[in-house]
Amino acid sequence: MTGAPYWYPVPDVDARAAQVADSFEQVHSAPAAGVWAAPGRVNLIGEHTDYNGGLCLPIALPHSTFVAASSNSSNELVAHSVQRPDEPLRIALNDIGPGRPAGWGGYVAGAVAMLRAASDGPRVAGLTAVVDSDVPVGAGLSSSAALSCSMVLAAAELAGLNWADDDAGRARLVQVSVRGENEIAQVPSGGLDQAAALQCEPGHALLLDCADHSLAQVPFDVRVHGLALLVIDTRAEHTHSGNEYAARRAACEEAARELRVTFLREVADDPLEQTLAALDERELRPLVRHVVSEIARVQQVCELLDAGRLPEIGPLMDASHVSLRDDYRVSAPQLDVAVEVARTTGALGARMTGGGFGGSAIALLPLDAVDAVSEAVHEAFARRHWTSPAFLLAEPSPSGRRIR
Ligand code: GLA
């Protein structure tokens, strides 16, 4: 007996926002000034391209992190997390710095500190917040960006900054969140996750050009085609993923230096064999091959989506997975099995999504194959005595915003 596949509950945003408002009131004996939310994401394609100035194509998930917050006059950041009740956060704004506070508070404090640094208008004062989240943690679905982005939305509005109201302001909020993660939480993430959390639109994937930060909304409505996008959280632990991520990023920077460009994106249109031959360090070649070929795959997927040919993107997803597995070497056995089983039981295409070394895979499949594929993956994991995977269906959802 392997039991039935586990499905993450489909969240009711308004009910969850009311719940976190109640939690705030219980902890602080006063109502919150507002509740803000930002979603997790899956990246359709364009992996490990963001920090190379490349292209990526995320969608926002229906699952969000919620922040109920008010200003305070003590110049402190005070935050509680429903998921981490034993780790309350209290820090003077002036004490926030690299690695301070550590842990989940770094994402919250990073957003606030970098917003203070970036805003020359109204002052960002002390903040009191309660955080609650539906984004699965450790699943490669960007729960950390959902946290920093929901916080930056709350902090900005409470400081009288209306940056969330237009595209240019949102782009600034993305940069603030990225800096908060890089400099305070000290995670060298590349910008994909924060852009997805703050710039996606429902029914669309976000084509993100990480060289000039330009955006395009690309139609992505799987249901019109009788399809679904299944997310398979392999629940494989990504031990060492932080070090491996930093190592890949450093290797790409080294390759760019050898090729005398700032970002690998700049060689994306050159003949690939010529570029690879110019690299003396042979072990850098497969990494560059992944980055360059992945950027081309993003362009091909967008062309198909713009032409209304969504069901045809499957082979490009498959090719992306192979490239991440064999050339970039960021997959994991659980991801490879999830992808393989999904494909052999009816998916049109499947790939790992996010940073890798564990986390989630996505599969594009006919709606009526969802049960068969999820059951087959569940059983394949049980046969190997792996932790059971968990599933959700990704509907392209709205980005971060004030809920109440
Ligand atoms: C993680 C990082 C992103 C991006 C992806 C890989 O999710 O946070 O910036 O680099 O990995 O595409």
Side-chain angles (χ1 to χ4, degrees), residues 346-357:
L348 306 179
R351 58 181 292 274
M352 55 158 278
T353 186
F357 306 104

Side-chain angles (χ1 to χ4, degrees), residues 249-272:
R249 190 170 175 158
C252 287
E253 284 161 5
E254 190 187 334
R257 271 195 302 278
E258 269 204 41
L259 295 167
R260 296 181 200 289
V261 292
T262 313
F263 291 115
L264 290 180
R265 167 69 177 281
E266 292 159 55
V267 300
D269 294 329
D270 298 350
L272 181 57

Side-chain angles (χ1 to χ4, degrees), residues 320-344:
S320 170
H321 185 79
V322 170
S323 179
L324 287 158
R325 185 191 65 199
D326 298 347
D327 275 346
Y328 216 67
R329 292 187 297 109
V330 291
S331 191
Q334 288 89 338
L335 288 167
D336 295 339
V337 166
V339 161
E340 190 57 34
V341 172
R343 259 189 226 138
T344 50

Side-chain angles (χ1 to χ4, degrees), residues 41 46-48 50-51 189-193 245 354-355:
R41 61 98 188 92
E47 221 63 85
H48 289 277
D50 59 351
Y51 52 82
S189 56
L192 154 69
D193 311 333
Y245 184 93

